[in-house]
């Protein structure tokens, strides 16, 4: 049976506790230095490094160097997150498109597809493939339509010209 620490910590964690006690002042100083240069909270950095150490499950061979590097890494990641994240401001919902805007977009897409279906030749198939949500490559479209890949560009230009003319005449 394993011996237990007075605080209920197993004996295999005792070296980790010794490490924490020995390096707490160094970690506090390193975290304060890193945090001061970037507007970070030193306590957050300390907590993140201790967590990383506990997840590691064993003491590093060069603890001081490992702690310095871990503080630097955590600070860099925190600054990176801060650039990506936006603070939450109560009362300001993340504004997505309104229901009316979504309905108008759907109607515009429906109208566009209706005009595309009326185009001559292979234009309906080509433009439908180009507007597909699956975003096929020119190679896939050429196989699907049985047209050489080199012909797709000129055909697309002619089809877009026809579409432009149709849309212009419907105004």
């Amino acid at each position: 049976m394993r011996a237990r620490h007075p605080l209920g910590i197993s004996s295999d964690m005792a070296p980790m506790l010794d490490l924490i006690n020995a390096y707490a002042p160094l970690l506090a100083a390193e975290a304060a230095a890193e945090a001061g240069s970037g507007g970070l909270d030193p306590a957050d950095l300390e907590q993140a490094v201790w967590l990383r150490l506990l997840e590691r499950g064993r003491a590093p061979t060069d603890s001081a160097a490992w702690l310095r590097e871990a503080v630097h890494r955590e600070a860099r990641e925190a600054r990176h997150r801060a650039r990506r994240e936006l603070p939450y401001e109560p009362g300001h919902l993340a504004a997505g498109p309104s229901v009316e805007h979504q309905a108008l977009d759907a109607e515009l897409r429906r109208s566009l597809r209706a005009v595309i279906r009326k185009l001559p030749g292979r234009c309906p198939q080509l433009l439908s493939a180009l507007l597909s949500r699956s975003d096929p490559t020119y190679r896939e479209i050429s196989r699907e339509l049985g047209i050489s890949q080199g012909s797709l560009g000129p055909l697309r230009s002619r089809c877009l010209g026809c579409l432009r003319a149709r849309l212009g005449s419907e105004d």
Side-chain angles (χ1 to χ4, degrees):
M1 182 172 187
R2 286 187 176 157
R4 301 291 287 174
H5 187 275
L7 296 176
I9 298 170
S10 66
S11 61
D12 58 339
M13 287 300 290
M16 197 67 82
L17 265 179
D18 293 339
L19 178 75
I20 290 170
N21 290 330
Y23 286 99
L26 173 65
L27 179 57
E30 291 290 330
E34 276 291 341
S37 65
L40 303 172
D41 184 0
D44 287 346
L45 290 176
E46 285 183 63
Q47 182 178 7
V49 171
W50 289 134
L51 179 62
R52 189 178 292 264
L53 179 64
L54 290 173
E55 287 173 342
R56 180 185 169 114
R58 59 182 168 73
T61 53
D62 184 359
S63 300
W66 184 90
L67 284 172
R68 285 186 186 101
E69 179 57 33
V71 169
H72 181 70
R73 190 178 323 112
E74 290 297 331
R76 186 177 57 240
E77 289 175 9
R79 283 188 207 99
H80 184 70
R81 270 192 311 275
R83 282 192 301 271
R84 289 187 326 231
E85 294 174 350
L86 298 175
Y88 172 72
E89 296 178 21
H92 294 347
L93 297 176
S98 67
V99 174
E100 293 86 6
H101 187 77
Q102 291 175 9
L104 289 172
D105 279 350
E107 177 60 25
L108 181 62
R109 283 191 303 276
R110 189 197 62 71
S111 298
L112 179 62
R113 291 197 186 276
V115 172
I116 287 173
R117 281 192 298 272
K118 295 176 186 174
L119 292 176
R122 294 186 168 183
C123 290
Q125 296 94 349
L126 175 61
L127 293 179
S128 292
L130 290 171
L131 292 173
S132 171
R133 289 185 188 265
S134 66
D135 195 24
T137 63
Y138 264 32
R139 177 175 287 149
E140 293 167 339
I141 293 171
S142 70
R143 265 195 310 253
E144 180 182 323
L145 299 180
I147 301 172
S148 74
Q149 194 171 339
S151 301
L152 285 179
L155 179 58
R156 184 197 67 179
S157 293
R158 285 193 298 277
C159 292
L160 289 174
C162 289
L163 179 62
R164 212 174 286 114
R166 265 305 148 97
L167 291 173
S169 69
E170 288 189 6
D171 285 340

